[in-house]
């Protein structure tokens, strides 16, 4: 008699649990990265918080250990555009945690500038920080996952990788995020036989400290009205809205999902 997959499988809540897993989040000291770090800890994972700002890293790691007593959280200072630093930090995390099962590559930057005024150095900086860093981190993480024959890599992409956002001009940012979406698919197909699932999460307009500051400016107030008018739900997302998708993509519940992009945008792309 064949097994009944509905009755014989672990419960969905058990499959969504990250208990006993070791996770890392680049750009984990603020905004969406911090929210994902908290979600991983809430789901039971140990968390490595990676960022350029040491004090911010320590602050978030301390938050995690104080709120979630059964997990381990440690801060790591790293420039994820530097291949040598990335290799050193990933090796250190693997050594100190014992393994790396989950990696959320979230670090990135943003900028608005008209294409005709954009300098080549600005273009290079955006591609380096948002796309090159994703590859450098994933390559390094995959080595440790391949040794175990299992791992989950989640990239933070963006709806900007699918459309040219309006009215802001950010050709370099949009192109970098489109590259992240393509990288996700490529690595997913290459690494599937090795037990590694690679997926991405694409936030829509989400309220972060950076966006809060922008909304106080004259330009931000003007753009905010236009952004809201294009979102069917008529509101921006919160960083907490990204947590469920991140946990799903990092858990056993998504073991048959690879190469996908989960868009959390209040319906923006549904128009």
């Amino acid at each position: 008699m064949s097994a009944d997959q509905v009755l014989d499988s672990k419960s969905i809540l058990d499959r969504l649990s990250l208990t006993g897993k070791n996770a890392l989040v680049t750009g984990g000291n603020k905004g969406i990265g911090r929210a994902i770090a908290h979600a991983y800890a809430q789901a039971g994972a140990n968390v490595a918080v990676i960022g350029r700002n040491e004090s911010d890293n320590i602050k978030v790691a301390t938050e995690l250990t104080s709120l979630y007593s059964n997990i381990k959280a440690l801060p790591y200072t790293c420039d994820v555009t530097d291949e040598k630093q990335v290799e050193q930090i990933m090796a250190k995390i693997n050594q100190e945690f014992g393994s790396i099962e989950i990696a959320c590559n979230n670090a990135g930057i943003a900028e608005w500038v008209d294409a005709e005024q954009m300098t080549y150095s600005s273009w290079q900086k955006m591609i380096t920080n948002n796309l090159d860093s994703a590859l450098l981190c994933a390559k390094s993480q995959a080595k440790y996952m391949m040794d175990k024959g299992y791992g989950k890599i989640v990239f933070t992409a963006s709806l900007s990788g699918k459309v040219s956002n309006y009215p802001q001009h950010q050709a370099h940012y949009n192109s970098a995020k489109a590259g992240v979406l393509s990288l996700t698919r490529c690595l997913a197909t290459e690494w599937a036989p090795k037990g590694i699932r690679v997926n991405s999460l694409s936030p829509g307009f989400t309220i972060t400290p950076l966006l809060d500051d922008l909304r106080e400016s004259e330009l931000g107030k003007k753009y905010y009205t236009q952004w809201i008018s294009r979102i069917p739900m008529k509101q921006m997302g919160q960083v907490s809205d990204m947590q469920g998708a991140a946990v799903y993509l990092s858990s056993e519940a998504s073991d048959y999902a690879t190469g996908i992009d989960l868009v959390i945008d209040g319906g923006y792309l549904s128009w």
Side-chain angles (χ1 to χ4, degrees):
M1 178 184 289
S2 61
D4 186 324
Q5 286 297 312
V6 175
L7 299 180
D8 295 341
S9 296
K10 290 163 58 176
S11 78
I12 187 59
L13 293 181
D14 286 341
R15 281 180 279 151
L16 283 167
S17 171
L18 303 182
T19 300
K21 301 292 179 63
N22 296 314
L24 66 85
V25 185
T26 70
N29 59 23
K30 63 182 65 174
I32 291 173
R34 173 173 170 262
I36 291 174
H38 272 266
Y40 284 166
Q42 289 168 10
N46 300 313
V47 184
V49 179
I50 304 173
R52 285 192 175 108
N53 188 301
E54 182 178 14
S55 62
D56 286 345
N57 298 338
I58 293 171
K59 180 180 178 182
V60 173
T62 301
E63 284 179 353
L64 299 180
T65 53
S66 64
L67 289 171
Y68 318 111
S69 58
N70 294 325
I71 64 99
K72 173 181 179 180
L74 295 174
Y76 295 88
T77 303
C78 179
D79 178 350
V80 291
T81 69
D82 185 311
E83 185 175 16
K84 185 176 180 180
Q85 286 190 42
V86 169
E87 290 287 340
Q88 291 174 339
I89 287 298
M90 297 306 163
K92 188 174 182 181
I93 292 170
N94 186 66
Q95 180 181 30
E96 295 184 348
F97 282 78
S99 62
I100 301 172
E101 283 84 30
I102 300 164
C104 177
N105 295 311
N106 167 78
I109 61 172
E111 181 189 42
W112 296 354
V113 59
D114 294 343
E116 67 271 20
Q117 297 172 353
M118 185 187 301
T119 63
Y120 183 48
S121 62
S122 290
W123 171 272
Q124 289 180 306
K125 182 178 180 181
M126 189 65 65
I127 299 298
T128 298
N129 278 272
N130 288 7
L131 179 56
D132 294 353
S133 67
L135 175 64
L136 292 177
C137 289
K139 277 184 61 181
S140 184
Q141 295 150 2
K143 291 188 303 183
Y144 304 106
M145 295 177 178
M146 287 176 187
D147 287 344
K148 304 287 186 180
Y150 181 85
K152 296 294 184 85
I153 295 176
V154 181
F155 292 116
T156 299
S158 173
L159 67 82
S160 298
K162 297 174 179 287
V163 297
S164 176
N165 272 333
Y166 179 85
Q168 69 272 28
H169 297 158
Q170 47 185 35
H172 51 356
Y173 178 82
N174 298 347
S175 298
K177 290 301 186 180
V180 170
L181 292 173
S182 181
L183 179 65
T184 298
R185 295 189 295 269
C186 293
L187 297 183
T189 54
E190 282 192 38
W191 293 345
K194 302 177 187 296
I196 301 174
R197 284 74 166 173
V198 186
N199 297 293
S200 60
L201 167 61
S202 283
F205 289 104
T206 305
I207 298 173
T208 62
L210 181 64
L211 186 57
D212 269 336
D213 291 341
L214 175 64
R215 286 194 298 173
E216 296 303 314
S217 68
E218 182 176 345
L219 184 63
K221 290 176 182 177
K222 175 184 176 183
Y223 280 9
Y224 182 77
T225 301
Q226 295 186 55
W227 288 331
I228 291 297
S229 71
R230 296 170 67 89
I231 302 172
M233 292 180 67
K234 302 306 176 190
Q235 64 186 46
M236 289 194 173
Q238 301 288 341
V239 293
S240 57
D241 291 319
M242 309 303 145
Q243 292 177 309
V247 169
Y248 166 71
L249 291 175
S250 304
S251 73
E252 184 182 336
S254 64
D255 276 357
Y256 196 58
T258 198
I260 69 168
D261 179 57
L262 274 183
V263 181
I264 312 296
D265 69 349
Y268 187 99
L269 292 182
S270 299
W271 280 121

